[in-house]
Amino acid sequence: QVQFVESGGGLVQPGGSLRLSCAASGFTFSSYAMSWYRRAPGKQRDLVASVSSGGNIINYADSVKDRFTISRLNAKNTVYLQMNSLKSEDTAVYYCNFATVPRSWGQGTQVTVSS
């Protein structure tokens, strides 16, 4: 069945960096656009970034543009999120999923930005 396993989160100071990874299984990964989402405390889950199946079309939420970079390695069924210049407002649980009709949510990985 479809499964997503996110990793790489942690506690980081403002201005720091983290790289998140998401291992996907149970479907033909290279055929699907993928996205990273996040849910901050007390808020709804929001879209952060998306990458097309081939990796050539990428979109970002305005709040992370120029700070975050999404990428994918189809040979490893993995999607990444490089996060630089982190801010306290980036604190959230981060998830990966299909870019359209997300389903079968994983556990996510907690990112906490705090001094």
Side-chain angles (χ1 to χ4, degrees):
Q1 72 274 22
V2 171
Q3 188 174 17
F4 302 103
V5 179
E6 300 90 350
S7 62
L11 173 64
V12 63
Q13 292 187 342
S17 298
L18 283 174
R19 188 192 194 208
L20 307 184
S21 299
C22 171
S25 60
F27 62 99
T28 305
F29 180 77
S30 60
S31 296
Y32 290 87
M34 298 297 298
S35 292
W36 282 95
Y37 303 82
R38 68 185 181 187
R39 176 176 280 164
K43 297 188 176 181
Q44 66 181 18
R45 186 153 36 203
D46 290 329
L47 177 65
V48 175
S50 300
V51 58
S52 61
S53 58
N56 58 320
I57 301 174
I58 290 175
N59 291 288
Y60 297 98
D62 287 343
S63 59
V64 307
K65 205 170 292 184
D66 299 325
R67 300 189 298 121
F68 289 12
T69 302
I70 188 171
S71 61
R72 64 189 295 160
L73 187 56
N74 286 345
K76 290 193 173 183
N77 287 4
T78 302
V79 59
Y80 303 96
L81 187 68
Q82 177 67 43
M83 305 187 297
N84 299 328
S85 302
L86 283 161
K87 305 175 181 180
S88 58
E89 51 262 45
D90 296 318
T91 294
V93 179
Y94 285 72
Y95 306 86
C96 72
N97 211 304
F98 297 105
T100 56
V101 195
R103 60 189 185 274
S104 301
W105 293 96
Q107 299 271 7
T109 186
Q110 175 72 49
V111 171
T112 302
V113 184
S114 175
S115 55

